[in-house]
Amino acid sequence: MNRPGPWKIIVWILPLALLAWAGCSKEEEEEVLPEVSFSFDLPALAIAVDSAQVAAPSGVVFGFEGSAALGQALTANGFGTGQLVGVGLNKARLYFSDPVGSYYNALQSVTVRMAVGDGQPVTVASLDSVPDGAQALVLGLMDVDVAAMLRSNDARLVVRMEFDGPVPPVTGHSLVLGAQAVVLP
């Protein structure tokens, strides 16, 4: 009886081994839908600040209507609320409006938090070191998804300031926020 040589065995086994290896290493691929993002501005919020209240540990609470701006931005870009994946802030600026020509020299820090209803406020923007001579502040942003807060008609902003010098009892400010929405097409 003739036994097959080692080369004949390799010729038969090698293709089978390659087939088995290729079948085992093939991963199931999921179809990944690309996300699309776009930016939009929220309505500027004019706020009158009582220095005693805003310096309190709880800060000052302001009603915030972001749902209309979110809805308009989605519609303008051809998307619906069901396609929304998340929203993050991409701009937070605080401007002095009254008294005109004022500076934030006496301000040590500012924190802006957002919440829905009676929920716990979440810090969305802050500035810990305010430069002398600033009439406008660019706040640092936190990586927080604010979609639920912008969808709600019961959202609120909490602004807290710490001072390291004398300030007028009441001042006027404008808070400008911008956002970036992420949607699935």
Side-chain angles (χ1 to χ4, degrees):
M1 172 161 123
N2 286 1
R3 285 180 57 187
W7 290 107
K8 287 185 180 182
I9 292 174
I10 292 175
V11 168
W12 282 97
I13 293 178
L14 187 59
L16 293 174
L18 288 173
L19 256 169
W21 178 70
C24 292
S25 66
K26 184 177 180 183
E27 295 178 15
E28 301 256 344
E29 293 182 22
E30 292 183 23
E31 183 179 348
V32 178
L33 295 175
E35 293 179 341
V36 176
S37 64
F38 60 89
S39 296
F40 63 99
D41 286 330
L42 297 163
L45 181 64
I47 53 178
V49 171
D50 178 329
S51 60
Q53 288 180 330
V54 80
S58 59
V60 178
V61 178
F62 300 96
F64 181 70
E65 180 59 46
S67 61
L70 175 62
Q72 290 170 354
L74 286 168
T75 301
N77 285 282
F79 299 105
T81 55
Q83 294 172 285
L84 187 63
V85 174
V87 179
L89 294 182
N90 64 0
K91 174 174 51 174
R93 296 192 177 119
L94 187 65
Y95 298 95
F96 228 124
S97 60
D98 186 42
V100 176
S102 294
Y103 298 94
Y104 283 108
N105 292 345
L107 184 61
Q108 180 179 347
S109 67
V110 60
T111 303
V112 177
R113 297 180 293 162
M114 290 180 96
V116 175
D118 294 331
Q120 186 68 26
V122 176
T123 301
V124 294
S126 68
L127 184 61
D128 289 330
S129 179
V130 177
D132 282 339
Q135 289 182 307
L137 302 176
V138 176
L139 307 179
L141 301 170
M142 308 301 153
D143 187 18
V144 177
D145 186 358
V146 296
M149 296 171 218
L150 292 183
R151 284 181 172 163
S152 173
N153 290 327
D154 193 21
R156 59 190 165 94
L157 285 175
V158 180
V159 178
R160 183 172 187 291
M161 296 178 180
E162 288 184 43
F163 302 103
D164 59 5
V167 293
V170 178
T171 54
H173 307 267
S174 181
L175 180 62
V176 176
L177 300 174
Q180 182 168 0
V182 178
V183 294
L184 288 175

